[in-house]
Amino acid sequence: MTPQPPPDVLESQNRKLLRVAFFGDIVGKPGREAFAYAAKRMREENKADAIIVNAENARHGAGLHPAGYQEIKDAGADLVTLGDHACDEASIFPTVRDPQEALIRPSNLGPAKKSLAEGRTFARLYKSNGSPTPIYVTTVTGRVHMKHESSDPFAAMDTQVNTIADEHPDAMVIVEAHCEATSEKNALTFHAIEKHRGRVIAVVGTHTHVQTADPRLVGGVASLTDLGMCGGHGGVIGFDPTLSRKRLIRQSGGKLEPCDQDLQATGALITVDTEAKSATSIELIRIRTQETLVK
């Protein structure tokens, strides 16, 4: 006999509602462990049908390496995204270029980084509980207070959404806004509402590592200024507080180490009506590990 899903999963399927969990930036090994714990909880408690996570800081706080990517996938990520640190670890480039992998880079990286990373700029969210309406994910990076070079994120969103629509007319799109400024992320949300209502179902921010308390639903588009991070919340945005303080006081570069205290994973849970092609709710996720897992 074929095992049957739990009752609430069946109910979700009957109503054609999907629950997508999107977690903020993974910071180093502590972040990978925090995400693994949170993803397991989300699956066991049947809170999410699909899980997305940003992993641009997963390799010791900068970039992503193949072993870390595999670890994150094995932990439960259905799709992994990158940000302005996409090119910090060159060993991930072949994985980014592989169309069979569940990994995407920002679509509007500057010419230098784009030529290095190449790879896909959008991908289908693979686990969707058999929904006939596919959900795609794409990432754009901001230009306000960002050190890296990138092109217009608003135009990049338009290009990505329209390209997805041309290839997959029924698709819904989740846009990750990897930006420093809250104003830019908010503006990208309203750009989606004005230009892509009925196709874009969510615009969620990453990059600052600080979860914001502003989830909202406007015109069927769910938004959150920043998802936060997976990692040590006992430090400074995921890094050792002493080293971070010294670096800021001296106003110079210096080595940073991921913090392994108070491991938490933060993000958002978005519920999507696949018949109406709109989001119906968005709520904050904050999961603290029951013990320090990092050895």
Side-chain angles (χ1 to χ4, degrees):
M1 180 180 294
T2 304
Q4 294 297 308
D8 52 344
V9 173
L10 290 172
E11 182 183 4
S12 176
Q13 289 175 327
N14 292 337
R15 294 183 313 202
K16 295 184 172 57
L17 296 180
L18 297 178
R19 292 161 296 187
V20 179
F22 203 142
F23 286 93
D25 308 40
I26 291 176
V27 182
K29 181 178 179 181
R32 300 197 304 271
E33 302 242 11
F35 169 74
Y37 180 86
K40 183 180 179 182
R41 283 273 307 273
M42 296 297 286
R43 297 292 194 196
E44 288 179 347
E45 297 173 14
N46 195 39
K47 291 183 177 178
D49 302 306
I51 296 176
I52 314 166
V53 66
N54 180 290
E56 69 147 4
N57 299 121
R59 184 191 179 278
H60 208 68
L64 175 64
H65 53 318
Y69 167 68
Q70 190 61 51
E71 180 182 336
I72 292 164
K73 280 211 309 179
D74 290 344
D78 298 306
L79 188 62
V80 179
T81 68
L82 296 171
D84 59 302
H85 290 288
C87 299
D88 284 11
E89 175 52 53
S91 65
I92 199 63
F93 292 173
T95 309
V96 176
R97 296 186 184 112
D98 188 342
Q100 300 303 313
E101 294 294 344
L103 179 64
I104 60 173
R105 66 164 180 82
S107 62
N108 61 328
L109 288 175
K113 289 191 173 185
K114 185 176 180 180
S115 65
L116 285 173
E118 298 178 356
R120 290 189 301 168
T121 56
F122 63 84
R124 182 169 182 167
L125 190 55
Y126 298 105
K127 292 183 179 179
S128 58
N129 250 9
S131 168
T133 307
I135 297 176
Y136 282 77
V137 180
T138 190
T139 301
V140 299
T141 57
R143 295 182 294 184
V144 180
H145 304 313
M146 298 285 280
K147 294 180 180 179
H148 74 292
E149 180 186 359
S150 65
S151 61
D152 180 356
F154 298 89
M157 178 195 292
D158 294 341
T159 298
Q160 292 297 292
V161 173
N162 292 334
T163 300
I164 293 169
D166 288 343
E167 296 182 15
H168 312 279
D170 294 330
M172 298 174 287
V173 183
I174 295 174
V175 178
E176 176 189 4
H178 194 80
C179 315
E180 179 73 26
T182 57
S183 58
E184 192 171 25
K185 288 185 266 196
N186 288 167
L188 283 163
T189 296
F190 283 98
H191 185 75
I193 293 167
E194 180 179 342
K195 299 289 186 181
H196 305 292
R197 187 179 302 199
R199 190 163 304 280
V200 172
I201 55 172
V203 179
V204 293
T206 52
H207 181 69
T208 72
H209 298 196
V210 178
Q211 186 186 51
T212 52
D214 62 342
R216 58 182 168 180
L217 189 65
V218 181
V221 179
S223 72
L224 182 69
T225 298
D226 205 285
L227 297 168
M229 70 169 193
C230 301
H233 283 67
V236 176
I237 62 169
F239 294 95
D240 177 86
T242 300
L243 296 175
S244 296
R245 181 170 56 85
K246 287 181 179 178
R247 186 175 183 178
L248 291 168
I249 290 172
R250 295 170 181 170
Q251 289 290 287
S252 62
K255 186 178 181 181
L256 289 176
E257 293 288 337
C259 172
D260 63 0
Q261 300 300 309
D262 190 16
L263 299 190
Q264 299 181 41
T266 68
L269 183 65
I270 304 161
T271 302
V272 181
D273 184 329
T274 61
E275 284 188 331
K277 294 178 68 173
S278 67
T280 62
S281 69
I282 178 169
E283 57 186 281
L284 299 179
I285 299 172
R286 179 176 294 271
I287 299 175
R288 177 179 278 110
T289 61
Q290 294 179 340
E291 57 185 5
T292 299
L293 303 178
V294 178
K295 299 178 176 62

